[in-house]
């Protein structure tokens, strides 16, 4: 929730570059801390993109706004590289919420970072 990172990795596992954007959690915290009247809300997908009350409106703006951000950046990466990516994977605790609505994400692995740390640990033992 602190940052949303986009990593482009070659078929051979080489990190080619990426993008970093503010995450959902930190963005919601800023919204609630920096406004006088907006309440802290549960992060969940609302029934409609058009909120009928303040809580649903915040949820809509946050959830659909981040889906748009993620899909927009992925589309630009695809346009810029013109590669045929094998997988577009999301990881992290909030990945499933965004991936369900994304046009591009095909795999969710919420524990990918922990798995990578385990592999590094095993190699260094």
């Amino acid at each position: 929730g602190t940052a949303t990172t986009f990593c482009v990795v070659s078929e051979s596992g080489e990190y080619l570059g990426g993008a970093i954007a503010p995450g959902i959690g930190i963005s919601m915290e800023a919204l609630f801390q920096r406004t006088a009247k907006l309440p802290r809300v549960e992060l969940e997908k609302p029934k409609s993109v058009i909120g009928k009350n303040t809580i649903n409106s915040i949820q809509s703006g946050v959830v659909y706004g981040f889906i748009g951000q993620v899909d927009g950046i992925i589309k630009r990466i695809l346009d810029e590289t013109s590669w045929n990516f094998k997988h577009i994977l999301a990881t992290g605790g909030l990945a499933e919420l965004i991936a369900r609505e994304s046009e591009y994400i095909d795999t969710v692995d919420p524990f990918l970072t922990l798995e990578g740390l385990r592999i590094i640990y095993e190699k260094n033992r």
Side-chain angles (χ1 to χ4, degrees):
T2 305
T4 301
T5 58
F6 302 82
C7 301
V8 180
V9 180
S10 73
E11 283 190 60
S12 63
E14 177 186 12
Y15 175 75
L16 302 175
I20 302 172
I24 295 174
I26 203 165
S27 296
M28 287 181 72
E29 270 309 304
L31 181 66
F32 309 132
Q33 288 182 2
R34 301 288 183 162
T35 58
K37 300 274 185 180
L38 293 180
R40 184 180 307 271
V41 302
E42 197 69 33
L43 180 60
E44 59 185 47
K45 180 183 156 198
K47 292 179 180 160
S48 172
V49 72
I50 301 171
K52 302 295 184 191
N53 58 49
T54 302
I55 291 171
N56 292 147
S57 296
I58 293 170
Q59 290 170 329
S60 178
V62 170
V63 171
Y64 292 110
F66 274 90
I67 292 165
Q69 177 193 68
V70 166
D71 279 355
I73 291 176
I74 291 171
K75 181 183 182 320
R76 288 176 181 270
I77 289 170
L78 293 170
D79 290 347
E80 189 172 306
T81 60
S82 67
W83 295 338
N84 185 15
F85 286 90
K86 284 188 175 182
H87 297 287
I88 298 179
L89 178 135
T91 188
L94 301 173
E96 185 65 40
L97 178 67
I98 301 303
R100 269 186 257 138
E101 299 292 323
S102 170
E103 293 181 33
Y104 298 101
I105 297 170
D106 56 31
T107 307
V108 176
D109 183 347
F111 304 110
L112 181 67
T113 302
L114 293 174
E115 180 64 19
L117 290 172
R118 185 193 62 75
I119 291 168
I120 292 169
Y121 170 77
E122 293 292 329
K123 286 185 176 195
N124 288 310
R125 266 191 342 165

PDB file of all heavy atoms in Angstrom, residues 79-115:
ATOM      1  N   ASP A  79       2.927  -0.497 -25.137  1.00  0.00           N
ATOM      2  CA  ASP A  79       3.088   0.333 -26.345  1.00  0.00           C
ATOM      3  C   ASP A  79       4.555   0.678 -26.592  1.00  0.00           C
ATOM      4  O   ASP A  79       5.020   0.676 -27.727  1.00  0.00           O
ATOM      5  CB  ASP A  79       2.275   1.623 -26.236  1.00  0.00           C
ATOM      6  CG  ASP A  79       0.780   1.391 -26.308  1.00  0.00           C
ATOM      7  OD1 ASP A  79       0.341   0.282 -26.689  1.00  0.00           O
ATOM      8  OD2 ASP A  79       0.024   2.329 -25.962  1.00  0.00           O
ATOM      9  N   GLU A  80       5.269   0.986 -25.512  1.00  0.00           N
ATOM     10  CA  GLU A  80       6.663   1.404 -25.634  1.00  0.00           C
ATOM     11  C   GLU A  80       7.584   0.257 -26.033  1.00  0.00           C
ATOM     12  O   GLU A  80       8.558   0.454 -26.758  1.00  0.00           O
ATOM     13  CB  GLU A  80       7.127   2.007 -24.301  1.00  0.00           C
ATOM     14  CG  GLU A  80       8.470   2.676 -24.352  1.00  0.00           C
ATOM     15  CD  GLU A  80       8.773   3.405 -23.063  1.00  0.00           C
ATOM     16  OE1 GLU A  80       7.960   4.241 -22.637  1.00  0.00           O
ATOM     17  OE2 GLU A  80       9.844   3.123 -22.485  1.00  0.00           O
ATOM     18  N   THR A  81       7.269  -0.931 -25.577  1.00  0.00           N
ATOM     19  CA  THR A  81       8.149  -2.062 -25.840  1.00  0.00           C
ATOM     20  C   THR A  81       7.715  -2.883 -27.043  1.00  0.00           C
ATOM     21  O   THR A  81       8.538  -3.512 -27.681  1.00  0.00           O
ATOM     22  CB  THR A  81       8.201  -3.004 -24.618  1.00  0.00           C
ATOM     23  OG1 THR A  81       6.891  -3.475 -24.350  1.00  0.00           O
ATOM     24  CG2 THR A  81       8.766  -2.305 -23.402  1.00  0.00           C
ATOM     25  N   SER A  82       6.439  -2.902 -27.317  1.00  0.00           N
ATOM     26  CA  SER A  82       5.836  -3.740 -28.368  1.00  0.00           C
ATOM     27  C   SER A  82       6.257  -5.207 -28.248  1.00  0.00           C
ATOM     28  O   SER A  82       6.424  -5.903 -29.232  1.00  0.00           O
ATOM     29  CB  SER A  82       6.124  -3.188 -29.766  1.00  0.00           C
ATOM     30  OG  SER A  82       7.494  -3.276 -30.084  1.00  0.00           O
ATOM     31  N   TRP A  83       6.441  -5.674 -27.007  1.00  0.00           N
ATOM     32  CA  TRP A  83       6.774  -7.068 -26.749  1.00  0.00           C
ATOM     33  C   TRP A  83       5.509  -7.863 -26.522  1.00  0.00           C
ATOM     34  O   TRP A  83       4.469  -7.327 -26.152  1.00  0.00           O
ATOM     35  CB  TRP A  83       7.638  -7.215 -25.506  1.00  0.00           C
ATOM     36  CG  TRP A  83       8.993  -6.592 -25.610  1.00  0.00           C
ATOM     37  CD1 TRP A  83       9.682  -6.300 -26.731  1.00  0.00           C
ATOM     38  CD2 TRP A  83       9.788  -6.161 -24.517  1.00  0.00           C
ATOM     39  NE1 TRP A  83      10.885  -5.729 -26.426  1.00  0.00           N
ATOM     40  CE2 TRP A  83      10.979  -5.634 -25.060  1.00  0.00           C
ATOM     41  CE3 TRP A  83       9.647  -6.174 -23.151  1.00  0.00           C
ATOM     42  CZ2 TRP A  83      12.001  -5.134 -24.275  1.00  0.00           C
ATOM     43  CZ3 TRP A  83      10.660  -5.678 -22.371  1.00  0.00           C
ATOM     44  CH2 TRP A  83      11.820  -5.167 -22.934  1.00  0.00           C
ATOM     45  N   ASN A  84       5.625  -9.135 -26.692  1.00  0.00           N
ATOM     46  CA  ASN A  84       4.533 -10.039 -26.367  1.00  0.00           C
ATOM     47  C   ASN A  84       4.840 -10.644 -24.993  1.00  0.00           C
ATOM     48  O   ASN A  84       5.520 -11.652 -24.897  1.00  0.00           O
ATOM     49  CB  ASN A  84       4.414 -11.134 -27.436  1.00  0.00           C
ATOM     50  CG  ASN A  84       3.225 -12.023 -27.191  1.00  0.00           C
ATOM     51  OD1 ASN A  84       2.341 -11.692 -26.421  1.00  0.00           O
ATOM     52  ND2 ASN A  84       3.216 -13.165 -27.841  1.00  0.00           N
ATOM     53  N   PHE A  85       4.360  -9.994 -23.931  1.00  0.00           N
ATOM     54  CA  PHE A  85       4.657 -10.434 -22.578  1.00  0.00           C
ATOM     55  C   PHE A  85       3.988 -11.764 -22.287  1.00  0.00           C
ATOM     56  O   PHE A  85       2.831 -11.977 -22.641  1.00  0.00           O
ATOM     57  CB  PHE A  85       4.187  -9.396 -21.547  1.00  0.00           C
ATOM     58  CG  PHE A  85       5.057  -8.180 -21.494  1.00  0.00           C
ATOM     59  CD1 PHE A  85       4.794  -7.084 -22.296  1.00  0.00           C
ATOM     60  CD2 PHE A  85       6.145  -8.133 -20.640  1.00  0.00           C
ATOM     61  CE1 PHE A  85       5.596  -5.958 -22.249  1.00  0.00           C
ATOM     62  CE2 PHE A  85       6.956  -7.018 -20.585  1.00  0.00           C
ATOM     63  CZ  PHE A  85       6.681  -5.924 -21.392  1.00  0.00           C
ATOM     64  N   LYS A  86       4.721 -12.665 -21.612  1.00  0.00           N
ATOM     65  CA  LYS A  86       4.160 -13.957 -21.223  1.00  0.00           C
ATOM     66  C   LYS A  86       3.191 -13.793 -20.063  1.00  0.00           C
ATOM     67  O   LYS A  86       2.148 -14.424 -20.028  1.00  0.00           O
ATOM     68  CB  LYS A  86       5.274 -14.916 -20.822  1.00  0.00           C
ATOM     69  CG  LYS A  86       6.030 -15.483 -21.983  1.00  0.00           C
ATOM     70  CD  LYS A  86       6.968 -16.566 -21.491  1.00  0.00           C
ATOM     71  CE  LYS A  86       7.635 -17.217 -22.672  1.00  0.00           C
ATOM     72  NZ  LYS A  86       8.523 -18.296 -22.261  1.00  0.00           N
ATOM     73  N   HIS A  87       3.577 -12.980 -19.080  1.00  0.00           N
ATOM     74  CA  HIS A  87       2.751 -12.789 -17.897  1.00  0.00           C
ATOM     75  C   HIS A  87       2.772 -11.333 -17.482  1.00  0.00           C
ATOM     76  O   HIS A  87       3.810 -10.682 -17.562  1.00  0.00           O
ATOM     77  CB  HIS A  87       3.260 -13.611 -16.712  1.00  0.00           C
ATOM     78  CG  HIS A  87       3.220 -15.080 -16.928  1.00  0.00           C
ATOM     79  ND1 HIS A  87       2.049 -15.797 -16.929  1.00  0.00           N
ATOM     80  CD2 HIS A  87       4.210 -15.976 -17.155  1.00  0.00           C
ATOM     81  CE1 HIS A  87       2.317 -17.061 -17.147  1.00  0.00           C
ATOM     82  NE2 HIS A  87       3.628 -17.198 -17.301  1.00  0.00           N
ATOM     83  N   ILE A  88       1.646 -10.871 -17.020  1.00  0.00           N
ATOM     84  CA  ILE A  88       1.586  -9.600 -16.317  1.00  0.00           C
ATOM     85  C   ILE A  88       1.059  -9.960 -14.940  1.00  0.00           C
ATOM     86  O   ILE A  88      -0.092 -10.341 -14.769  1.00  0.00           O
ATOM     87  CB  ILE A  88       0.715  -8.572 -17.049  1.00  0.00           C
ATOM     88  CG1 ILE A  88       1.331  -8.277 -18.419  1.00  0.00           C
ATOM     89  CG2 ILE A  88       0.586  -7.303 -16.203  1.00  0.00           C
ATOM     90  CD1 ILE A  88       0.575  -7.305 -19.268  1.00  0.00           C
ATOM     91  N   LEU A  89       1.962  -9.895 -13.972  1.00  0.00           N
ATOM     92  CA  LEU A  89       1.729 -10.424 -12.651  1.00  0.00           C
ATOM     93  C   LEU A  89       1.615  -9.298 -11.639  1.00  0.00           C
ATOM     94  O   LEU A  89       2.360  -8.324 -11.706  1.00  0.00           O
ATOM     95  CB  LEU A  89       2.911 -11.339 -12.288  1.00  0.00           C
ATOM     96  CG  LEU A  89       2.896 -11.976 -10.930  1.00  0.00           C
ATOM     97  CD1 LEU A  89       3.261 -13.445 -11.064  1.00  0.00           C
ATOM     98  CD2 LEU A  89       3.853 -11.273 -10.010  1.00  0.00           C
ATOM     99  N   ALA A  90       0.686  -9.438 -10.712  1.00  0.00           N
ATOM    100  CA  ALA A  90       0.554  -8.496  -9.602  1.00  0.00           C
ATOM    101  C   ALA A  90       0.882  -9.227  -8.316  1.00  0.00           C
ATOM    102  O   ALA A  90       0.579 -10.411  -8.158  1.00  0.00           O
ATOM    103  CB  ALA A  90      -0.867  -7.948  -9.547  1.00  0.00           C
ATOM    104  N   THR A  91       1.522  -8.530  -7.389  1.00  0.00           N
ATOM    105  CA  THR A  91       1.858  -9.113  -6.107  1.00  0.00           C
ATOM    106  C   THR A  91       1.582  -8.107  -5.007  1.00  0.00           C
ATOM    107  O   THR A  91       1.424  -6.922  -5.261  1.00  0.00           O
ATOM    108  CB  THR A  91       3.330  -9.590  -6.083  1.00  0.00           C
ATOM    109  OG1 THR A  91       3.559 -10.320  -4.873  1.00  0.00           O
ATOM    110  CG2 THR A  91       4.297  -8.440  -6.200  1.00  0.00           C
ATOM    111  N   GLY A  92       1.518  -8.590  -3.789  1.00  0.00           N
ATOM    112  CA  GLY A  92       1.249  -7.727  -2.650  1.00  0.00           C
ATOM    113  C   GLY A  92      -0.157  -7.937  -2.109  1.00  0.00           C
ATOM    114  O   GLY A  92      -1.004  -8.562  -2.751  1.00  0.00           O
ATOM    115  N   GLY A  93      -0.383  -7.399  -0.943  1.00  0.00           N
ATOM    116  CA  GLY A  93      -1.630  -7.617  -0.237  1.00  0.00           C
ATOM    117  C   GLY A  93      -2.874  -7.073  -0.912  1.00  0.00           C
ATOM    118  O   GLY A  93      -3.963  -7.612  -0.739  1.00  0.00           O
ATOM    119  N   LEU A  94      -2.736  -6.011  -1.695  1.00  0.00           N
ATOM    120  CA  LEU A  94      -3.894  -5.399  -2.340  1.00  0.00           C
ATOM    121  C   LEU A  94      -3.991  -5.755  -3.823  1.00  0.00           C
ATOM    122  O   LEU A  94      -4.865  -5.257  -4.525  1.00  0.00           O
ATOM    123  CB  LEU A  94      -3.839  -3.879  -2.166  1.00  0.00           C
ATOM    124  CG  LEU A  94      -3.821  -3.397  -0.708  1.00  0.00           C
ATOM    125  CD1 LEU A  94      -3.587  -1.899  -0.641  1.00  0.00           C
ATOM    126  CD2 LEU A  94      -5.101  -3.776  -0.003  1.00  0.00           C
ATOM    127  N   ALA A  95      -3.114  -6.624  -4.282  1.00  0.00           N
ATOM    128  CA  ALA A  95      -3.063  -6.955  -5.709  1.00  0.00           C
ATOM    129  C   ALA A  95      -4.365  -7.546  -6.233  1.00  0.00           C
ATOM    130  O   ALA A  95      -4.810  -7.204  -7.328  1.00  0.00           O
ATOM    131  CB  ALA A  95      -1.910  -7.915  -5.980  1.00  0.00           C
ATOM    132  N   GLU A  96      -4.979  -8.421  -5.465  1.00  0.00           N
ATOM    133  CA  GLU A  96      -6.200  -9.095  -5.921  1.00  0.00           C
ATOM    134  C   GLU A  96      -7.319  -8.096  -6.204  1.00  0.00           C
ATOM    135  O   GLU A  96      -8.048  -8.229  -7.189  1.00  0.00           O
ATOM    136  CB  GLU A  96      -6.656 -10.129  -4.886  1.00  0.00           C
ATOM    137  CG  GLU A  96      -7.838 -10.954  -5.327  1.00  0.00           C
ATOM    138  CD  GLU A  96      -7.543 -11.855  -6.517  1.00  0.00           C
ATOM    139  OE1 GLU A  96      -6.456 -12.435  -6.564  1.00  0.00           O
ATOM    140  OE2 GLU A  96      -8.411 -11.955  -7.405  1.00  0.00           O
ATOM    141  N   LEU A  97      -7.452  -7.087  -5.349  1.00  0.00           N
ATOM    142  CA  LEU A  97      -8.496  -6.078  -5.520  1.00  0.00           C
ATOM    143  C   LEU A  97      -8.379  -5.378  -6.870  1.00  0.00           C
ATOM    144  O   LEU A  97      -9.369  -5.192  -7.577  1.00  0.00           O
ATOM    145  CB  LEU A  97      -8.410  -5.042  -4.387  1.00  0.00           C
ATOM    146  CG  LEU A  97      -9.383  -3.880  -4.427  1.00  0.00           C
ATOM    147  CD1 LEU A  97     -10.810  -4.366  -4.198  1.00  0.00           C
ATOM    148  CD2 LEU A  97      -9.007  -2.843  -3.375  1.00  0.00           C
ATOM    149  N   ILE A  98      -7.176  -5.031  -7.265  1.00  0.00           N
ATOM    150  CA  ILE A  98      -6.942  -4.332  -8.526  1.00  0.00           C
ATOM    151  C   ILE A  98      -6.964  -5.317  -9.693  1.00  0.00           C
ATOM    152  O   ILE A  98      -7.545  -5.050 -10.742  1.00  0.00           O
ATOM    153  CB  ILE A  98      -5.599  -3.570  -8.475  1.00  0.00           C
ATOM    154  CG1 ILE A  98      -5.598  -2.552  -7.327  1.00  0.00           C
ATOM    155  CG2 ILE A  98      -5.299  -2.904  -9.815  1.00  0.00           C
ATOM    156  CD1 ILE A  98      -6.713  -1.538  -7.358  1.00  0.00           C
ATOM    157  N   ALA A  99      -6.344  -6.468  -9.526  1.00  0.00           N
ATOM    158  CA  ALA A  99      -6.211  -7.444 -10.618  1.00  0.00           C
ATOM    159  C   ALA A  99      -7.564  -7.947 -11.114  1.00  0.00           C
ATOM    160  O   ALA A  99      -7.728  -8.193 -12.309  1.00  0.00           O
ATOM    161  CB  ALA A  99      -5.343  -8.608 -10.174  1.00  0.00           C
ATOM    162  N   ARG A 100      -8.524  -8.092 -10.213  1.00  0.00           N
ATOM    163  CA  ARG A 100      -9.853  -8.582 -10.611  1.00  0.00           C
ATOM    164  C   ARG A 100     -10.481  -7.717 -11.689  1.00  0.00           C
ATOM    165  O   ARG A 100     -11.240  -8.197 -12.517  1.00  0.00           O
ATOM    166  CB  ARG A 100     -10.791  -8.610  -9.407  1.00  0.00           C
ATOM    167  CG  ARG A 100     -10.787  -9.912  -8.678  1.00  0.00           C
ATOM    168  CD  ARG A 100     -11.835  -9.935  -7.591  1.00  0.00           C
ATOM    169  NE  ARG A 100     -11.131  -9.742  -6.330  1.00  0.00           N
ATOM    170  CZ  ARG A 100     -11.535  -8.983  -5.337  1.00  0.00           C
ATOM    171  NH1 ARG A 100     -12.657  -8.329  -5.404  1.00  0.00           N
ATOM    172  NH2 ARG A 100     -10.820  -8.862  -4.254  1.00  0.00           N
ATOM    173  N   GLU A 101     -10.186  -6.431 -11.681  1.00  0.00           N
ATOM    174  CA  GLU A 101     -10.796  -5.493 -12.621  1.00  0.00           C
ATOM    175  C   GLU A 101      -9.851  -5.047 -13.731  1.00  0.00           C
ATOM    176  O   GLU A 101     -10.258  -4.355 -14.653  1.00  0.00           O
ATOM    177  CB  GLU A 101     -11.294  -4.249 -11.874  1.00  0.00           C
ATOM    178  CG  GLU A 101     -12.347  -4.531 -10.826  1.00  0.00           C
ATOM    179  CD  GLU A 101     -13.666  -4.982 -11.439  1.00  0.00           C
ATOM    180  OE1 GLU A 101     -14.048  -4.463 -12.504  1.00  0.00           O
ATOM    181  OE2 GLU A 101     -14.321  -5.856 -10.843  1.00  0.00           O
ATOM    182  N   SER A 102      -8.590  -5.419 -13.637  1.00  0.00           N
ATOM    183  CA  SER A 102      -7.594  -4.992 -14.615  1.00  0.00           C
ATOM    184  C   SER A 102      -7.811  -5.682 -15.961  1.00  0.00           C
ATOM    185  O   SER A 102      -8.156  -6.856 -16.019  1.00  0.00           O
ATOM    186  CB  SER A 102      -6.184  -5.326 -14.111  1.00  0.00           C
ATOM    187  OG  SER A 102      -5.227  -5.129 -15.124  1.00  0.00           O
ATOM    188  N   GLU A 103      -7.561  -4.948 -17.018  1.00  0.00           N
ATOM    189  CA  GLU A 103      -7.636  -5.510 -18.365  1.00  0.00           C
ATOM    190  C   GLU A 103      -6.381  -6.309 -18.711  1.00  0.00           C
ATOM    191  O   GLU A 103      -6.388  -7.084 -19.662  1.00  0.00           O
ATOM    192  CB  GLU A 103      -7.793  -4.394 -19.397  1.00  0.00           C
ATOM    193  CG  GLU A 103      -9.116  -3.667 -19.315  1.00  0.00           C
ATOM    194  CD  GLU A 103      -9.247  -2.581 -20.380  1.00  0.00           C
ATOM    195  OE1 GLU A 103      -8.706  -2.773 -21.495  1.00  0.00           O
ATOM    196  OE2 GLU A 103      -9.863  -1.552 -20.082  1.00  0.00           O
ATOM    197  N   TYR A 104      -5.306  -6.122 -17.955  1.00  0.00           N
ATOM    198  CA  TYR A 104      -4.012  -6.682 -18.338  1.00  0.00           C
ATOM    199  C   TYR A 104      -3.449  -7.729 -17.391  1.00  0.00           C
ATOM    200  O   TYR A 104      -2.739  -8.631 -17.828  1.00  0.00           O
ATOM    201  CB  TYR A 104      -2.979  -5.553 -18.479  1.00  0.00           C
ATOM    202  CG  TYR A 104      -3.340  -4.564 -19.540  1.00  0.00           C
ATOM    203  CD1 TYR A 104      -3.906  -3.329 -19.221  1.00  0.00           C
ATOM    204  CD2 TYR A 104      -3.129  -4.854 -20.882  1.00  0.00           C
ATOM    205  CE1 TYR A 104      -4.247  -2.416 -20.203  1.00  0.00           C
ATOM    206  CE2 TYR A 104      -3.466  -3.950 -21.870  1.00  0.00           C
ATOM    207  CZ  TYR A 104      -4.024  -2.729 -21.526  1.00  0.00           C
ATOM    208  OH  TYR A 104      -4.361  -1.840 -22.500  1.00  0.00           O
ATOM    209  N   ILE A 105      -3.702  -7.620 -16.109  1.00  0.00           N
ATOM    210  CA  ILE A 105      -3.098  -8.534 -15.136  1.00  0.00           C
ATOM    211  C   ILE A 105      -3.716  -9.918 -15.288  1.00  0.00           C
ATOM    212  O   ILE A 105      -4.928 -10.069 -15.239  1.00  0.00           O
ATOM    213  CB  ILE A 105      -3.278  -8.011 -13.699  1.00  0.00           C
ATOM    214  CG1 ILE A 105      -2.547  -6.673 -13.542  1.00  0.00           C
ATOM    215  CG2 ILE A 105      -2.775  -9.037 -12.685  1.00  0.00           C
ATOM    216  CD1 ILE A 105      -2.853  -5.951 -12.241  1.00  0.00           C
ATOM    217  N   ASP A 106      -2.854 -10.926 -15.469  1.00  0.00           N
ATOM    218  CA  ASP A 106      -3.373 -12.288 -15.649  1.00  0.00           C
ATOM    219  C   ASP A 106      -3.028 -13.222 -14.496  1.00  0.00           C
ATOM    220  O   ASP A 106      -3.570 -14.311 -14.393  1.00  0.00           O
ATOM    221  CB  ASP A 106      -2.890 -12.894 -16.968  1.00  0.00           C
ATOM    222  CG  ASP A 106      -1.379 -12.917 -17.115  1.00  0.00           C
ATOM    223  OD1 ASP A 106      -0.673 -13.036 -16.104  1.00  0.00           O
ATOM    224  OD2 ASP A 106      -0.900 -12.821 -18.252  1.00  0.00           O
ATOM    225  N   THR A 107      -2.129 -12.808 -13.610  1.00  0.00           N
ATOM    226  CA  THR A 107      -1.708 -13.655 -12.506  1.00  0.00           C
ATOM    227  C   THR A 107      -1.539 -12.803 -11.253  1.00  0.00           C
ATOM    228  O   THR A 107      -1.036 -11.688 -11.329  1.00  0.00           O
ATOM    229  CB  THR A 107      -0.350 -14.335 -12.822  1.00  0.00           C
ATOM    230  OG1 THR A 107      -0.447 -15.005 -14.070  1.00  0.00           O
ATOM    231  CG2 THR A 107       0.064 -15.303 -11.741  1.00  0.00           C
ATOM    232  N   VAL A 108      -1.964 -13.338 -10.112  1.00  0.00           N
ATOM    233  CA  VAL A 108      -1.739 -12.683  -8.825  1.00  0.00           C
ATOM    234  C   VAL A 108      -0.969 -13.643  -7.931  1.00  0.00           C
ATOM    235  O   VAL A 108      -1.346 -14.795  -7.777  1.00  0.00           O
ATOM    236  CB  VAL A 108      -3.071 -12.286  -8.140  1.00  0.00           C
ATOM    237  CG1 VAL A 108      -2.819 -11.701  -6.759  1.00  0.00           C
ATOM    238  CG2 VAL A 108      -3.846 -11.306  -9.000  1.00  0.00           C
ATOM    239  N   ASP A 109       0.127 -13.163  -7.376  1.00  0.00           N
ATOM    240  CA  ASP A 109       0.915 -13.933  -6.418  1.00  0.00           C
ATOM    241  C   ASP A 109       1.218 -13.010  -5.239  1.00  0.00           C
ATOM    242  O   ASP A 109       2.181 -12.256  -5.266  1.00  0.00           O
ATOM    243  CB  ASP A 109       2.207 -14.437  -7.056  1.00  0.00           C
ATOM    244  CG  ASP A 109       3.023 -15.305  -6.110  1.00  0.00           C
ATOM    245  OD1 ASP A 109       2.729 -15.329  -4.887  1.00  0.00           O
ATOM    246  OD2 ASP A 109       3.961 -15.962  -6.577  1.00  0.00           O
ATOM    247  N   PRO A 110       0.383 -13.053  -4.203  1.00  0.00           N
ATOM    248  CA  PRO A 110       0.548 -12.113  -3.095  1.00  0.00           C
ATOM    249  C   PRO A 110       1.833 -12.328  -2.296  1.00  0.00           C
ATOM    250  O   PRO A 110       2.236 -11.468  -1.529  1.00  0.00           O
ATOM    251  CB  PRO A 110      -0.686 -12.350  -2.220  1.00  0.00           C
ATOM    252  CG  PRO A 110      -1.186 -13.685  -2.595  1.00  0.00           C
ATOM    253  CD  PRO A 110      -0.770 -13.929  -4.017  1.00  0.00           C
ATOM    254  N   PHE A 111       2.505 -13.463  -2.487  1.00  0.00           N
ATOM    255  CA  PHE A 111       3.695 -13.780  -1.701  1.00  0.00           C
ATOM    256  C   PHE A 111       4.979 -13.800  -2.527  1.00  0.00           C
ATOM    257  O   PHE A 111       5.992 -14.357  -2.077  1.00  0.00           O
ATOM    258  CB  PHE A 111       3.497 -15.119  -0.987  1.00  0.00           C
ATOM    259  CG  PHE A 111       2.270 -15.131  -0.128  1.00  0.00           C
ATOM    260  CD1 PHE A 111       1.173 -15.896  -0.485  1.00  0.00           C
ATOM    261  CD2 PHE A 111       2.191 -14.351   1.007  1.00  0.00           C
ATOM    262  CE1 PHE A 111       0.028 -15.898   0.292  1.00  0.00           C
ATOM    263  CE2 PHE A 111       1.050 -14.337   1.798  1.00  0.00           C
ATOM    264  CZ  PHE A 111      -0.032 -15.114   1.442  1.00  0.00           C
ATOM    265  N   LEU A 112       4.975 -13.223  -3.701  1.00  0.00           N
ATOM    266  CA  LEU A 112       6.149 -13.272  -4.575  1.00  0.00           C
ATOM    267  C   LEU A 112       7.395 -12.692  -3.902  1.00  0.00           C
ATOM    268  O   LEU A 112       8.475 -13.275  -3.977  1.00  0.00           O
ATOM    269  CB  LEU A 112       5.871 -12.530  -5.886  1.00  0.00           C
ATOM    270  CG  LEU A 112       7.011 -12.533  -6.900  1.00  0.00           C
ATOM    271  CD1 LEU A 112       7.247 -13.938  -7.422  1.00  0.00           C
ATOM    272  CD2 LEU A 112       6.694 -11.593  -8.049  1.00  0.00           C
ATOM    273  N   THR A 113       7.267 -11.574  -3.232  1.00  0.00           N
ATOM    274  CA  THR A 113       8.419 -10.951  -2.573  1.00  0.00           C
ATOM    275  C   THR A 113       8.964 -11.855  -1.478  1.00  0.00           C
ATOM    276  O   THR A 113      10.184 -12.042  -1.362  1.00  0.00           O
ATOM    277  CB  THR A 113       8.028  -9.580  -1.987  1.00  0.00           C
ATOM    278  OG1 THR A 113       7.528  -8.756  -3.043  1.00  0.00           O
ATOM    279  CG2 THR A 113       9.218  -8.899  -1.336  1.00  0.00           C
ATOM    280  N   LEU A 114       8.084 -12.440  -0.685  1.00  0.00           N
ATOM    281  CA  LEU A 114       8.532 -13.355   0.371  1.00  0.00           C
ATOM    282  C   LEU A 114       9.210 -14.586  -0.222  1.00  0.00           C
ATOM    283  O   LEU A 114      10.214 -15.076   0.321  1.00  0.00           O
ATOM    284  CB  LEU A 114       7.350 -13.768   1.250  1.00  0.00           C
ATOM    285  CG  LEU A 114       6.744 -12.652   2.094  1.00  0.00           C
ATOM    286  CD1 LEU A 114       5.501 -13.156   2.813  1.00  0.00           C
ATOM    287  CD2 LEU A 114       7.751 -12.102   3.075  1.00  0.00           C
ATOM    288  N   GLU A 115       8.692 -15.080  -1.320  1.00  0.00           N
ATOM    289  CA  GLU A 115       9.310 -16.224  -1.991  1.00  0.00           C
ATOM    290  C   GLU A 115      10.714 -15.856  -2.482  1.00  0.00           C
ATOM    291  O   GLU A 115      11.656 -16.647  -2.356  1.00  0.00           O
ATOM    292  CB  GLU A 115       8.440 -16.688  -3.164  1.00  0.00           C
ATOM    293  CG  GLU A 115       8.981 -17.867  -3.926  1.00  0.00           C
ATOM    294  CD  GLU A 115       9.089 -19.157  -3.124  1.00  0.00           C
ATOM    295  OE1 GLU A 115       8.440 -19.284  -2.072  1.00  0.00           O
ATOM    296  OE2 GLU A 115       9.830 -20.050  -3.556  1.00  0.00           O
TER     297      GLU A 115
END
